[in-house]
Amino acid sequence: MNERILLDSFTLLRTNGKSDTELPKYLGYSDISQYHLNEEISINKYLIENEIFDYDYLTSFNYNKSSGPVTNAYDYTVYSMQILSLFIILFTIYYACSSIAGDQSSGTMKMIAIRPYTRNKLFAGKYLSCLMFGGLLMMIALVASFVVGAASYGISTATCLVVFNASNVIEISPILLLLCYLLSLMINLLFYVSLAMFISVICRSNTLSVIISTIIYGVQVVLSGVINAKWLEYTPFGHFDLFKYFGNSNPGLLSLNILPDADFFTSLIVIGSLIVVMNSIAHLIFQRRDIS
C-alpha cells in the first residue's frame, strides 16, 4: 500500500499544473485521471493509518464489475436499475409532457382553469404528480430488482468502503449506499421532469413537446452509452451521474468520466441551477399564458 501511495503521489507531482485534458499529450499518461489518483491515495492512506490489512470490505457498486469477490444482490440491483431507469425516465417524460401540453391540446386545461385554483397551484400540482409518478416507479423497480438479486445471488453482510469526493473515506452500510444510488437516480429524474415541463409549456403541442424531449434524452443516452463522445463530458450531461463521486470514478453504463477539476458539489450546483432556471421560466410562461 505504501508503494502504491508513493507511486500515485509521484504521478501527481509529475503532472502538477497539468489538467486532465492536457495529460494525454505526455507519454505514459494517456489513461491518467487526477481524481482517480487522489481516490486511490485516500483509500490506501486510510487503510494504513487504521492498520487495516486483512479486510473484507465491499467497494462501490458499478454496472460492469462486482463490489466483492462474488456478485451480490446490490450489484445486481445497480445493474438492473441502470437499464430500468432508462425506460422509467422515458415514461415520465411522456407523462410530464402530457400533463400540460396534452391538457392544452385536448382542451382539458380550460375546464381545470375555471376551478378556484391559482396558476401556481396548477403548475405545482402537475409538477409534483409527475415526480411522484416517476419516483414511485423508481422505488418499485429498485425493490423488485433487489428481491430478484437477493434470491439469485444472496445478500452480502460486508460493509462498503468508499471514497467520497476523492478525499473522504467512509465505511457505510451497503443499504445506505444503495439509497444514495437511488437518490442520484431521483435527481436525474427531477432534471428530466423539469425539462419536459419546460418544453411542454413553451411548445403547447403535446406531440411536439414529447418529440423534442425524447430526442434530447435519446441523444444523451446514445452519446453516453453507445458513442461515448468525449466532448459530452463538458456539457451539463457530464454532471448528471452524482453516484460517480461515491468511489465510482470508473464510469459504468451511460456514465461519463468525471470532469476535470469537478467535484460532487460542483455537479450538484450545475444540475440544481439548470432545474431552477427551467422551472422558473416554465412557471413564468404558464402564469402569463392564455389558456381560456
Side-chain angles (χ1 to χ4, degrees), residues 39 60-62 65 163 243-251 258:
E39 200 174 59
S60 187
F61 312 131
N62 204 325
K65 69 176 183 179
V163 186
F243 195 63
K244 291 186 296 188
Y245 299 105
F246 288 83
N248 231 334
S249 57
N250 293 320
I258 292 176

Side-chain angles (χ1 to χ4, degrees), residues 74-110:
Y74 305 103
D75 298 325
Y76 178 83
T77 302
V78 171
Y79 178 89
S80 176
M81 287 301 296
Q82 287 277 293
I83 299 171
L84 292 176
S85 62
L86 296 178
F87 298 100
I88 292 173
I89 291 176
L90 192 61
F91 291 150
T92 308
I93 286 175
Y94 176 80
Y95 182 77
C97 289
S98 301
S99 66
I100 290 185
D103 283 351
Q104 285 201 258
S105 299
S106 63
T108 307
M109 188 67 73
K110 295 179 182 179

Side-chain angles (χ1 to χ4, degrees), residues 88-89 92 131 134-135 138 185-193:
I88 292 173
I89 291 176
T92 308
L131 287 180
M138 283 286 189
L185 291 178
M186 292 294 190
I187 293 174
N188 206 343
L189 177 72
L190 179 62
F191 172 84
Y192 280 108
V193 167

Side-chain angles (χ1 to χ4, degrees), residues 186-207:
M186 292 294 190
I187 293 174
N188 206 343
L189 177 72
L190 179 62
F191 172 84
Y192 280 108
V193 167
S194 302
L195 175 66
M197 295 283 285
F198 172 73
I199 293 175
S200 65
V201 167
I202 292 177
C203 295
R204 303 187 69 168
S205 168
N206 183 35
T207 303

Side-chain angles (χ1 to χ4, degrees), residues 7-277:
L7 287 174
D8 289 342
S9 299
F10 178 70
T11 303
L12 283 176
L13 287 174
R14 288 284 305 274
T15 59
N16 185 35
K18 306 296 181 185
S19 67
D20 286 343
T21 54
E22 294 175 312
L23 292 181
K25 300 176 183 177
Y26 296 85
L27 183 63
Y29 292 104
S30 58
D31 297 322
I32 290 296
S33 164
Q34 293 187 5
Y35 184 97
H36 184 64
L37 288 172
N38 283 319
E39 200 174 59
E40 285 192 352
I41 290 173
S42 296
I43 198 165
N44 285 326
K45 280 185 176 179
Y46 177 85
L47 293 173
I48 290 175
E49 289 171 359
N50 291 276
E51 299 182 352
I52 303 173
F53 304 105
D54 184 17
Y55 55 87
D56 186 27
Y57 290 116
L58 296 178
T59 59
S60 187
F61 312 131
N62 204 325
Y63 173 82
N64 53 8
K65 69 176 183 179
S66 297
S67 59
V70 295
T71 303
N72 54 58
Y74 305 103
D75 298 325
Y76 178 83
T77 302
V78 171
Y79 178 89
S80 176
M81 287 301 296
Q82 287 277 293
I83 299 171
L84 292 176
S85 62
L86 296 178
F87 298 100
I88 292 173
I89 291 176
L90 192 61
F91 291 150
T92 308
I93 286 175
Y94 176 80
Y95 182 77
C97 289
S98 301
S99 66
I100 290 185
D103 283 351
Q104 285 201 258
S105 299
S106 63
T108 307
M109 188 67 73
K110 295 179 182 179
M111 302 300 296
I112 299 175
I114 63 176
R115 295 171 179 257
Y117 302 128
T118 63
R119 296 287 182 92
N120 291 338
K121 289 183 178 180
L122 285 176
F123 186 86
K126 288 183 174 295
Y127 188 82
L128 291 175
S129 69
C130 294
L131 287 180
M132 290 176 63
F133 172 77
L136 185 60
L137 289 180
M138 283 286 189
M139 288 187 285
I140 291 174
L142 184 129
V143 171
S145 298
F146 185 79
V147 171
V148 173
S152 303
Y153 301 102
I155 302 175
S156 175
T157 57
T159 301
C160 291
L161 188 66
V162 300
V163 186
F164 174 69
N165 226 12
S167 57
N168 301 311
V169 180
I170 305 171
E171 293 188 33
I172 186 173
S173 163
I175 288 290
L176 289 178
L177 187 60
L178 191 62
L179 291 177
C180 290
Y181 174 69
L182 175 62
L183 184 58
S184 72
L185 291 178
M186 292 294 190
I187 293 174
N188 206 343
L189 177 72
L190 179 62
F191 172 84
Y192 280 108
V193 167
S194 302
L195 175 66
M197 295 283 285
F198 172 73
I199 293 175
S200 65
V201 167
I202 292 177
C203 295
R204 303 187 69 168
S205 168
N206 183 35
T207 303
L208 183 59
S209 61
V210 169
I211 290 174
I212 294 175
S213 300
T214 304
I215 287 176
I216 293 175
Y217 180 58
V219 167
Q220 184 262 323
V221 169
V222 170
L223 290 177
S224 300
V226 180
I227 300 177
N228 195 21
K230 188 70 176 176
W231 60 265
L232 193 66
E233 297 177 9
Y234 301 93
T235 69
F237 296 118
H239 294 277
F240 282 4
D241 183 13
L242 294 176
F243 195 63
K244 291 186 296 188
Y245 299 105
F246 288 83
N248 231 334
S249 57
N250 293 320
L253 178 69
L254 306 181
S255 177
L256 298 167
N257 290 312
I258 292 176
L259 301 176
D261 303 320
D263 57 19
F264 175 83
F265 301 104
T266 301
S267 294
L268 189 62
I269 289 172
V270 170
I271 297 174
S273 299
L274 288 171
I275 291 172
V276 170
V277 169

